[in-house]
């Protein structure tokens, strides 16, 4: 059996031993679609990309043929790219500013397609990272309440440290102050820790597809 498929099966086994509700987003950025194909043929549903243009080139055709595939935008979304992102992406994980919220609200109206959204939290309060800061979250969440957006949860990319557990715990705390259900957190290095701490989506790239060039 193909390596990629084997990796997926193993990861899903590990996760179901902890928490059957955690879904795996196979992060296929930088890999060509022929390389990703075995995972699609295996029936994997959730795939993640971090660039709009690359995703459009790789996934537009495949998605037309196979409407069970769900594509996730996990990277930063510039407001001028929003029009190219719908209906390509079923999920957008990087909502973190008002302008972007407005743009998505407009575009979903035009396209009659509502993507599911995660608000990205800058959980480590790092200058260089995207995401809304913890202090500003509540105000931001209130401000976009009337936008008719389909916000389903929160997403984070924790600081690059050995133990990310405290950040996942912080995310759970913030989530519990809302009525949101989903948590997008955990990558190749820490998806087990994330799943143990209530992640509902983990975003796994290299552990499935190998090291990126
Ligand atoms: C690339 C990427 C991932 C996957 O990273 P791996 O360490 O290869 O699993 C997850 N989330 C985001 C936001 C990414 O950009």
């Amino acid at each position: 059996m193909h390596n990629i498929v084997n990796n997926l099966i193993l990861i899903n086994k590990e996760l179901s031993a902890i928490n059957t509700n955690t879904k795996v987003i196979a992060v296929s950025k930088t890999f060509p679609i022929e390389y990703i194909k075995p995972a699609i043929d295996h029936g994997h549903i959730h795939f993640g990309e971090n660039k709009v243009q690359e995703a459009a080139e790789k996934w537009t055709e495949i998605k037309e043929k196979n409407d069970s595939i769900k594509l996730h935008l996990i990277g930063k979304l510039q407001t001028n790219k929003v029009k190219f992102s719908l209906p390509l992406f079923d999920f957008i994980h990087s909502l973190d500013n008002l302008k972007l919220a407005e743009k998505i609200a407009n575009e979903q109206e035009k396209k009659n397609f509502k993507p599911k959204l995660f608000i990205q939290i800058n959980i480590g309060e790092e200058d260089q990272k995207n995401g809304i800061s913890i202090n500003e979250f509540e105000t931001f969440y209130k401000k976009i309440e009337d936008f008719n957006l389909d916000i389903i949860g929160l997403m984070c990319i924790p600081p690059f440290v050995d133990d990310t557990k405290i950040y996942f715990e912080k995310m759970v705390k913030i989530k519990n102050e809302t009525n949101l259900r989903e948590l997008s957190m955990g990558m190749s290095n820490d998806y087990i820790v994330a799943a143990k701490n209530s992640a509902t989506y983990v975003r796994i790239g290299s552990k499935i597809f190998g090291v990126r060039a």
Side-chain angles (χ1 to χ4, degrees):
M1 194 181 291
H2 203 283
N3 260 344
I4 291 171
V5 173
N6 249 338
N7 295 341
L8 267 171
I9 292 171
L10 283 175
I11 289 167
N12 274 312
K13 266 199 194 136
E14 284 178 307
L15 289 175
S16 59
I18 304 166
N19 167 359
T20 47
N21 290 326
T22 309
K23 291 180 256 328
V24 174
I25 301 170
V27 176
S28 51
K29 63 189 185 193
T30 76
F31 293 104
I33 200 75
E34 309 82 65
Y35 186 81
I36 305 162
K37 194 94 188 331
I40 301 169
D41 294 343
H42 172 65
H44 192 75
I45 288 173
H46 297 281
F47 290 89
E49 292 283 341
N50 68 339
K51 293 198 174 107
V52 177
Q53 170 96 28
E54 179 188 342
E57 284 164 15
K58 279 158 67 172
W59 290 96
T60 304
E61 225 185 292
I62 291 242
K63 282 196 79 198
E64 275 162 16
K65 284 188 232 152
N66 185 340
D67 64 5
S68 60
I69 289 177
K70 301 292 177 208
L71 198 60
H72 297 248
L73 179 65
I74 59 172
K76 184 163 181 67
L77 178 55
Q78 309 284 354
T79 49
N80 62 352
K81 299 266 174 72
V82 170
K83 57 174 177 285
F84 306 113
S85 302
L86 309 187
L88 178 66
F89 291 105
D90 304 283
F91 295 76
I92 295 170
H93 291 238
S94 47
L95 173 58
D96 68 354
N97 66 82
L98 208 54
K99 253 217 161 97
L100 182 58
E102 281 168 354
K103 264 273 173 279
I104 294 172
N106 272 325
E107 195 64 25
Q108 69 179 15
E109 202 67 35
K110 272 193 218 161
K111 302 263 171 80
N112 196 23
F113 177 87
K114 251 181 155 176
K116 293 179 167 45
L117 305 172
F118 291 85
I119 298 172
Q120 184 173 350
I121 310 270
N122 185 356
I123 199 67
E125 305 282 4
E126 296 170 283
D127 287 342
Q128 76 280 15
K129 283 240 172 90
N130 297 319
I132 201 116
S133 76
I134 299 169
N135 294 333
E136 288 163 9
F137 168 73
E138 206 181 321
T139 315
F140 177 70
Y141 189 48
K142 281 220 181 85
K143 270 190 188 155
I144 60 175
E145 215 171 37
D146 300 329
F147 284 29
N148 195 27
L149 297 169
D150 189 10
I151 297 167
I152 61 166
L154 305 177
M155 176 271 211
C156 79
I157 306 171
F160 193 71
V161 295
D162 285 338
D163 193 354
T164 43
K165 186 172 190 280
I166 56 160
Y167 298 105
F168 297 150
E169 287 171 346
K170 279 188 188 182
M171 289 292 285
V172 171
K173 237 176 118 186
I174 300 169
K175 194 206 75 163
N176 287 346
E177 286 160 16
T178 70
N179 53 4
L180 298 170
R181 301 176 56 171
E182 311 293 342
L183 277 177
S184 163
M185 56 192 200
M187 316 198 330
S188 289
N189 287 328
D190 55 8
Y191 63 94
I192 296 285
V193 185
K196 284 183 176 163
N197 286 276
S198 315
T200 57
Y201 287 90
V202 288
R203 312 177 307 263
I204 306 180
S206 45
K207 188 90 195 245
I208 297 170
F209 295 107
V211 186
R212 287 179 293 273

